[in-house]
Amino acid sequence: MPDVHHIAPYWAECLGGADRMLHELSVLLGARSDIACLIAEPMRSNCIVPPAGLWRAVRSLCDQHRVKLIFDEIPSGLGKTGRFFAHEHFGVTPDIVVLGKALGGGVLPIAAVLADASLDVAPELALGHYTHEKNPVTARAALTTIEIIEDEGLVGHAERLGLVLEALVRERMVGKANLITGVRGLGLLRAISFRARPGMTEAQIVAAGLKAGVSFTMKGPNVLGFSPPLVISDADLGYALSAVAGALDGM
Ligand SMILES: Cc1ncc(COP(=O)(O)O)c(C=O)c1O
């Protein structure tokens, strides 16, 4: 897309973090009148939780300059953080939300754009033709996914298990030999930090996790993404954390 202006996100501490992000946004919106929207993830999947008040300040800057706020909740939406939308944690309502990934139950490809009704201004216009748009099978999968999330109370489940995970990590941190040093994030969208043994590479850590039966990605040299499915049980959560700890210890 032409004319996109990138602003480093709040979690980029080395570039000035949230204060710099807000300052840059404020200068940009003050200087230009041709900005249509701001697109951001309310919490990046590196699980660095935004500072209190950040998104409220962004929302008010957007309102002041008549700029639409669009949240990409593809990794964070649909209950993952213990709220249906992650932005509910931060007390703001965006104009548009984008969902994907888990919307198809994790197996069928479907994404969605949810917009405020005031933006539904051209229902008679076809805005594009894609081979797989309006696909009834994946649309049904998405609706069923949402029904299951509601019927099984999975949003509250994610919130509760997030607290269980925090407690389990705290218990582990009491042991001096334990390599796990902390957990961050919200609900079941988490990242676990650890003391890396000298010489451990990220690829080796991921491979050790897989060997122990747990699949994760790295979110930095000393941090791994811990993002279990919404339906995980208490027992499996405890098992997965032990497997991660065992994989780190065994390296
Ligand atoms: C924040 C974010 N947005 C969008 C995507 C891509 O979504 P899709 O594959 O549905 O285009 C990803 C993929 O990881 C993502 O992390």
Side-chain angles (χ1 to χ4, degrees), residues 1 24 36 45 50 56-57 64 76-77 97 99 103 112 155 175 178 188 191 213:
M1 260 198 288
E24 198 178 330
S45 52
R56 271 198 295 273
Q64 203 183 318
S76 65
V97 181
L99 294 175
L103 188 59
V155 180
N178 178 48
L188 285 175

Side-chain angles (χ1 to χ4, degrees), residues 41 44-45 72-75 99-101 110-111:
E41 288 173 271
R44 177 80 185 125
S45 52
D72 178 338
E73 291 238 17
I74 286 176
L99 294 175
K101 292 196 193 294
I110 183 163

